[in-house]
């Protein structure tokens, strides 16, 4: 039958086109997965790598250094927050310790920073 012969010729081509299409879709999905659609922040493994690279570039908390203290940085912080239109680029990054990160974030979002308090009511 002519039909059967045609489909035997077409089948490998169809399969290959379908594989190509699925590959393209996967690539698109992967691209979308790397950057958060809301703030452009890198996500996933690339985000982890970028964070490590930024901490390695500035291993001490910038605000502590300004106070004459030597404290390891824990967080690469966006100087202009992404939520306020800042870019996820190295020149918008300063590395901070956890406490200064909380302080800066509170300032940037108009909140009052409260020092952590222990069960006895004294600051930690
Ligand atoms: Zn600090």
């Amino acid at each position: 039958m002519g039909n059967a012969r045609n489909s035997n010729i077409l089948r490998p081509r169809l399969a290959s086109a379908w594989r190509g299409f699925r590959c393209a879709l996967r690539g698109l999905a992967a691209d979308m997965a790397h950057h958060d659609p809301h703030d452009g922040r890198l996500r996933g493994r690339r985000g982890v790598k970028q964070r490590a690279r930024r901490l390695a570039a500035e291993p001490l908390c910038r605000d502590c250094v300004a106070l004459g203290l030597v404290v390891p940085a824990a967080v690469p912080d966006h100087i202009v927050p992404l939520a306020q239109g800042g870019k996820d680029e190295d020149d918008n990054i300063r590395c901070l310790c956890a406490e200064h990160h909380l302080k800066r974030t509170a300032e940037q979002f108009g909140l009052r920073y409260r020092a952590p308090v222990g069960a006895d009511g004294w600051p930690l």
Side-chain angles (χ1 to χ4, degrees), residues 15-48:
S16 143
W18 174 239
R19 271 196 302 274
F21 176 66
R22 281 207 325 208
C23 250
L25 268 188
R26 253 203 304 276
L28 196 66
D31 258 7
M32 286 166 67
H34 292 147
H35 292 274
D36 189 295
H38 300 296
D39 59 14
R41 191 192 293 263
L42 270 184
R43 294 289 183 210
R45 198 181 307 176
R46 290 186 182 203
V48 171

